[in-house]
Structure formats: C-alpha cells, structure tokens
Amino acid sequence: MEITSAKFVTSNSRADMCPKSDLPEYAFIGRSNVGKSSLINMLTNNSKLAMTSSTPGKTLLINHFMINNTWYLVDLPGYGYAQRGKKVMESIKNLIQHYVLERTQMTCLFVLIDSRLEPQKIDLEFIGWLGENGIPFALVFTKADKQSTSKTQQNVNRFLDTMKEQWEELPPHFITSSEKKTGRKELLDYIDSINRSL
Ligand code: GTP
Ligand code: MG
C-alpha cells in the first residue's frame, strides 16, 4: 500500500472528543522520545506532519491524521516522562488509558520500543496492562539506525524472550528507523492487511 494523502484532522485532550467516525485507526504509543511522531512522518513521507522534538514530552494531545481518506493514524503522548511533574503525568496517563480502553475504532495499537535499550520495566508493564484488557497491539522497535544490525537484533531478541516469560503467543513485531525509512513497507503492508480484513 502507498499513502497518497495524509492530513492533520484534530488534536484532542480527551478520548471522547476524538472524531465521531467509524473509520479504522492505528495509534502509536510508547515512552516519551521513543520516536512516535517521527514514525508517523516517516510513514507518510511528510517530515512536517506530526511535531517532533529532541526533548521528551513534545506530543501532549491525541492527534488524528486522515490517511487516503479511509483510515487514521493517531499520534499519542508518551508515557513515563516525569519531568513535567506529577499532575501532568497523571493527566497524560489518564488520557492514554481512556483512549486505549474506550476508542473502539482503534484497530491496532503500535507500541514503540527503543531498540537501543534492554527491556524496560515501564514498557513491559504497559504491555502487560494491554494484555489484561485484551487490546490488539504490535511492537515497533525504533531508532535501529543508531547501532549495528546485530546489536538491534540482540535487543529485540532480549525483549521478546522477556515477553515469552509471561505470554504464550508473541505479537507481530517490526524493526524501524525513521531516519533511514527502515520497516516502512512492512508496517504499511501490515496496516493494509488489517484494513482489508475489516
Ligand atoms: P513525545 O512526543 O515527546 O512523546 O516523543 P516522540 O515519541 O513522538 O518522539 P519524536 O518523534 O519527537 O522523536 C524524538 C527524538 O528522536 C527526535 O529528536 C527525533 O529526531 C529522534 N528520532 C526519532 N526516530 C528516530 C530514528 O529512527 N532514528 C534516529 N536517529 N532518531 C530518531
Ligand atoms: Mg510525539
């Protein structure tokens, strides 16, 4: 599948204010700074679509982007960024929980994991919570350009091995670099396969 049009639609501070539409949507979640907004720009070939920043905590709202007039990409704020204070962290946690649990149009949640790091407790806990709530998700390992392929593979394997301790079946996973456009076709084909099955 190729993306022929990508347009910003709305930013919302609450899940119940998001577009009233039954088009399927694919949302990106993960720790602050993991590369969610950059991935949306990479997929859409538009470096200015979603706002990115080298400082964590850039995306604070739920952002909907209409793709090919038939489905949405959704950029979410990151979890686990303590620097903004307890109150902001709590409100972001709340927003994410409501969106994930209540947004029935959300067809697959892509959980972004920094491919440079060993398995992080916060990511494993978040994924555990998705499992408890039966949320469909896939893993996206980001920033693969920042190290060797073998180091990336080693970290990916460690993450999947850790998941195997709790999960009978592993979710689909993708290795990406927004810098090098790695994994673009695989991700778009995966979304396309879901869209076709709906
Ligand atoms: P928040 O909105 O703050 O939660 O962050 P985010 O997850 O949306 O991250 P964002 O896309 O803003 O990227 C954070 C930083 O990482 C930026 O400086 C990006 O340029 C950089 N970055 C993101 N993806 C990649 C990648 O694949 N490779 C490299 N080298 N840098 C990346
Ligand atoms: Mg962002």
Side-chain angles (χ1 to χ4, degrees):
M1 176 191 42
E2 206 27 89
I3 291 183
T4 50
S5 78
K7 292 172 220 143
F8 168 74
V9 183
T10 50
S11 292
N12 290 287
S13 59
R14 285 170 40 172
D16 60 4
M17 290 158 71
C18 289
K20 305 271 179 283
S21 144
D22 43 21
L23 294 178
E25 60 193 50
Y26 300 84
F28 294 81
I29 189 74
R31 286 166 60 225
S32 268
N33 212 242
V34 71
K36 302 174 290 296
S37 304
S38 301
L39 188 63
I40 288 189
N41 292 344
M42 183 270 255
L43 292 176
T44 57
N45 271 329
N46 181 346
S47 62
K48 297 198 173 80
L49 193 63
M51 274 189 268
T52 65
S53 168
S54 54
T55 29
K58 178 70 180 173
T59 311
L60 294 170
L61 299 167
I62 306 168
N63 298 289
H64 276 73
F65 301 95
M66 170 76 84
I67 310 299
N68 294 353
N69 294 316
T70 47
W71 51 280
Y72 291 105
L73 279 176
V74 180
D75 194 13
L76 295 169
Y79 52 72
Y81 180 59
Q83 235 68 350
R84 279 180 182 265
K86 223 173 159 184
K87 235 179 146 180
V88 176
M89 247 188 113
E90 269 307 305
S91 82
I92 288 179
K93 191 175 173 187
N94 216 351
L95 174 154
I96 293 171
Q97 286 189 349
H98 278 279
Y99 175 84
V100 170
L101 297 177
E102 293 162 19
R103 188 74 176 161
T104 49
Q105 297 90 328
M106 201 267 294
T107 308
C108 179
L109 185 66
F110 290 99
V111 182
L112 275 61
I113 308 286
D114 191 326
S115 71
R116 296 171 298 176
L117 307 178
E118 57 186 65
Q120 302 287 299
K121 190 164 166 247
I122 192 166
D123 294 323
L124 293 164
E125 280 176 1
F126 184 77
I127 287 169
W129 176 77
L130 294 179
E132 283 162 25
N133 289 286
I135 306 296
F137 70 96
L139 300 175
V140 177
F141 293 91
T142 64
K143 307 193 184 185
D145 60 283
K146 291 217 174 199
Q147 73 215 322
S148 69
T149 310
S150 62
K151 185 71 199 165
T152 300
Q153 200 54 56
Q154 194 182 325
N155 285 339
V156 168
N157 290 343
R158 277 185 73 180
F159 195 92
L160 297 177
D161 285 345
T162 310
M163 268 189 86
K164 274 187 209 154
E165 293 166 13
Q166 308 282 335
W167 294 73
E168 276 177 32
E169 218 181 303
L170 293 178
H173 74 274
F174 301 89
I175 294 172
T176 65
S177 159
S178 294
E179 203 67 27
K180 298 251 163 81
K181 294 194 179 277
T182 312
R184 183 173 184 275
K185 183 178 186 305
E186 288 79 3
L187 264 177
L188 289 179
D189 285 350
Y190 181 66
I191 292 174
D192 191 40
S193 72
I194 301 178
N195 280 338
R196 285 172 192 274
S197 72
L198 298 174

